[in-house]
Each structure stands twice: as C-alpha cells, then as structure tokens.
Amino acid sequence: MTDLDAILPPWLREYLPQDHPGLVAGLTLLAIFLWLRIGALLMGMARARRKGTHVGHPPESDSPTRDCLWEPDARPAPWGRARWRCAACGGVEFTEGAHPPQYCMRNP
C-alpha cells in the first residue's frame, strides 16, 4: 500500500491505473492545477464585480470631458454663442468660439 492509497477514497482507487505511478502523479498534478486555476478565475471575477468593472467594457477615462463626443447643435444659442451637444451623454454646453467644450458639466 502506497501513500497515495492511504489518501484516496476506495472508489477512486479503482479508476486509477495502479501499474503506472507516473500517470497517477501526472493526473494528480493536472487536477491540482485545474482546481487552482478555477479558483483564481473565480477570485478574479469576484474582484472585478466588487470594483464595478465588467469584462468587455473599457476602463474609466481620466480625460476632463469623460469621453464626450461633442457635435455642433443647429438650434440657436443665447448671446451669440455656439451650442454643442454630446452624442455620448446628451449634455448640452455653450462656447464662445467654434471649438468644442473642454469639460462636460453633466459627467463631472
């Protein structure tokens, strides 16, 4: 009786090839690796869920406009200013010139 026979339950010993200890050791190492890999994947998913990030979504931007896509709005703007509408968040801003806004007030 080997050390492995003392650890394994009897029903599992019937399915392992007793004649090839190298194969048994390889299968044992494979099983340990798979359990550790599955555990690491589950922990990674739990951390991503706790942080609020989801797989497939880009990380939060550090830009001051928060990824706004400013488009000129044809509606009249007060006081001779240019009216801009954000295609991403729907925010409306006004500027003095023909340049898009630097900051999005809707997504501060």
Side-chain angles (χ1 to χ4, degrees):
M1 184 175 211
T2 64
D3 294 335
L4 192 59
D5 291 334
I7 297 171
L8 296 176
W11 62 268
L12 184 58
R13 276 187 258 145
E14 294 176 13
Y15 294 108
L16 290 176
Q18 299 291 329
D19 303 344
H20 306 285
L23 182 61
V24 172
L27 290 173
T28 304
L29 289 175
L30 178 64
I32 291 170
F33 170 76
L34 289 176
W35 278 109
L36 291 175
R37 185 66 183 141
I38 290 170
L41 288 173
L42 291 175
M43 288 173 53
M45 289 171 50
R47 284 187 188 135
R49 187 175 208 171
R50 196 174 327 129
K51 287 181 184 176
T53 59
H54 300 288
V55 177
H57 294 278
E60 189 70 29
S61 172
D62 292 334
S63 70
T65 59
R66 306 273 184 180
D67 296 330
C68 285
L69 302 172
W70 295 106
E71 299 174 340
D73 197 342
R75 293 183 284 179
W79 306 290
R81 298 172 128 189
R83 182 183 185 119
W84 296 86
R85 187 182 73 77
C86 175
C89 71
V92 176
E93 295 294 325
F94 302 97
T95 60
E96 292 293 329
H99 299 289
Q102 295 294 321
Y103 298 98
C104 180
M105 300 307 283
R106 186 168 182 168
N107 292 322

